[in-house]
mmCIF file of all heavy atoms in Angstrom:
data_model
loop_
_atom_site.group_PDB
_atom_site.id
_atom_site.type_symbol
_atom_site.label_atom_id
_atom_site.label_comp_id
_atom_site.label_asym_id
_atom_site.label_seq_id
_atom_site.Cartn_x
_atom_site.Cartn_y
_atom_site.Cartn_z
ATOM 1 N N ASN A 112 -26.459 38.793 -24.655
ATOM 2 C CA ASN A 112 -26.170 39.452 -25.920
ATOM 3 C C ASN A 112 -25.537 40.826 -25.695
ATOM 4 O O ASN A 112 -25.823 41.755 -26.414
ATOM 5 C CB ASN A 112 -27.486 39.584 -26.697
ATOM 6 C CG ASN A 112 -27.261 39.972 -28.141
ATOM 7 O OD1 ASN A 112 -26.168 39.826 -28.646
ATOM 8 N ND2 ASN A 112 -28.306 40.462 -28.777
ATOM 9 N N THR A 113 -24.696 40.944 -24.676
ATOM 10 C CA THR A 113 -24.218 42.251 -24.229
ATOM 11 C C THR A 113 -22.774 42.515 -24.635
ATOM 12 O O THR A 113 -21.922 41.643 -24.520
ATOM 13 C CB THR A 113 -24.333 42.354 -22.700
ATOM 14 O OG1 THR A 113 -25.685 42.137 -22.333
ATOM 15 C CG2 THR A 113 -23.910 43.720 -22.213
ATOM 16 N N SER A 114 -22.512 43.735 -25.114
ATOM 17 C CA SER A 114 -21.162 44.170 -25.424
ATOM 18 C C SER A 114 -20.895 45.498 -24.712
ATOM 19 O O SER A 114 -21.805 46.169 -24.256
ATOM 20 C CB SER A 114 -20.974 44.322 -26.934
ATOM 21 O OG SER A 114 -21.937 45.216 -27.453
ATOM 22 N N ILE A 115 -19.617 45.864 -24.634
ATOM 23 C CA ILE A 115 -19.199 47.104 -23.968
ATOM 24 C C ILE A 115 -18.657 48.066 -25.019
ATOM 25 O O ILE A 115 -17.681 47.756 -25.717
ATOM 26 C CB ILE A 115 -18.116 46.826 -22.904
ATOM 27 C CG1 ILE A 115 -18.646 45.887 -21.820
ATOM 28 C CG2 ILE A 115 -17.632 48.127 -22.282
ATOM 29 C CD1 ILE A 115 -19.756 46.472 -20.975
ATOM 30 N N THR A 116 -19.299 49.214 -25.153
ATOM 31 C CA THR A 116 -18.853 50.220 -26.117
ATOM 32 C C THR A 116 -17.658 50.997 -25.567
ATOM 33 O O THR A 116 -17.317 50.901 -24.387
ATOM 34 C CB THR A 116 -19.986 51.211 -26.429
ATOM 35 O OG1 THR A 116 -20.272 51.975 -25.240
ATOM 36 C CG2 THR A 116 -21.246 50.490 -26.882
ATOM 37 N N GLY A 117 -17.049 51.798 -26.451
ATOM 38 C CA GLY A 117 -15.919 52.618 -26.022
ATOM 39 C C GLY A 117 -16.301 53.614 -24.950
ATOM 40 O O GLY A 117 -15.562 53.820 -23.977
ATOM 41 N N LYS A 118 -17.490 54.239 -25.075
ATOM 42 C CA LYS A 118 -17.937 55.204 -24.067
ATOM 43 C C LYS A 118 -18.189 54.535 -22.728
ATOM 44 O O LYS A 118 -17.875 55.092 -21.675
ATOM 45 C CB LYS A 118 -19.195 55.915 -24.549
ATOM 46 C CG LYS A 118 -18.957 56.891 -25.691
ATOM 47 C CD LYS A 118 -20.226 57.639 -26.062
ATOM 48 C CE LYS A 118 -19.959 58.638 -27.177
ATOM 49 N NZ LYS A 118 -21.189 59.376 -27.567
ATOM 50 N N GLN A 119 -18.760 53.333 -22.754
ATOM 51 C CA GLN A 119 -18.976 52.600 -21.511
ATOM 52 C C GLN A 119 -17.644 52.209 -20.879
ATOM 53 O O GLN A 119 -17.485 52.253 -19.659
ATOM 54 C CB GLN A 119 -19.822 51.356 -21.776
ATOM 55 C CG GLN A 119 -21.270 51.666 -22.115
ATOM 56 C CD GLN A 119 -21.997 50.469 -22.696
ATOM 57 O OE1 GLN A 119 -21.376 49.495 -23.096
ATOM 58 N NE2 GLN A 119 -23.312 50.539 -22.740
ATOM 59 N N PHE A 120 -16.683 51.839 -21.722
ATOM 60 C CA PHE A 120 -15.373 51.424 -21.228
ATOM 61 C C PHE A 120 -14.682 52.574 -20.491
ATOM 62 O O PHE A 120 -13.956 52.356 -19.520
ATOM 63 C CB PHE A 120 -14.525 50.940 -22.394
ATOM 64 C CG PHE A 120 -13.204 50.339 -21.994
ATOM 65 C CD1 PHE A 120 -13.115 49.461 -20.932
ATOM 66 C CD2 PHE A 120 -12.052 50.652 -22.697
ATOM 67 C CE1 PHE A 120 -11.904 48.896 -20.564
ATOM 68 C CE2 PHE A 120 -10.841 50.101 -22.346
ATOM 69 C CZ PHE A 120 -10.763 49.215 -21.275
ATOM 70 N N GLU A 121 -14.920 53.808 -20.964
ATOM 71 C CA GLU A 121 -14.339 54.968 -20.294
ATOM 72 C C GLU A 121 -14.849 55.132 -18.870
ATOM 73 O O GLU A 121 -14.190 55.738 -18.031
ATOM 74 C CB GLU A 121 -14.634 56.231 -21.108
ATOM 75 C CG GLU A 121 -13.911 56.274 -22.464
ATOM 76 C CD GLU A 121 -14.350 57.452 -23.302
ATOM 77 O OE1 GLU A 121 -15.207 58.228 -22.822
ATOM 78 O OE2 GLU A 121 -13.842 57.604 -24.434
ATOM 79 N N LYS A 122 -16.042 54.594 -18.589
ATOM 80 C CA LYS A 122 -16.612 54.669 -17.240
ATOM 81 C C LYS A 122 -16.070 53.591 -16.313
ATOM 82 O O LYS A 122 -16.391 53.569 -15.129
ATOM 83 C CB LYS A 122 -18.142 54.510 -17.293
ATOM 84 C CG LYS A 122 -18.886 55.501 -18.162
ATOM 85 C CD LYS A 122 -20.360 55.163 -18.142
ATOM 86 C CE LYS A 122 -21.168 56.050 -19.061
ATOM 87 N NZ LYS A 122 -22.606 55.682 -19.065
ATOM 88 N N LEU A 123 -15.252 52.681 -16.869
ATOM 89 C CA LEU A 123 -14.862 51.486 -16.128
ATOM 90 C C LEU A 123 -13.344 51.383 -15.992
ATOM 91 O O LEU A 123 -12.701 50.553 -16.639
ATOM 92 C CB LEU A 123 -15.394 50.241 -16.844
ATOM 93 C CG LEU A 123 -16.896 50.157 -17.066
ATOM 94 C CD1 LEU A 123 -17.225 48.999 -17.990
ATOM 95 C CD2 LEU A 123 -17.619 50.019 -15.743
#
Side-chain angles (χ1 to χ4, degrees):
N112 193 18
T113 302
S114 56
I115 299 294
T116 67
K118 289 184 178 180
Q119 290 166 345
F120 187 44
E121 292 173 0
K122 303 178 184 178
L123 302 170

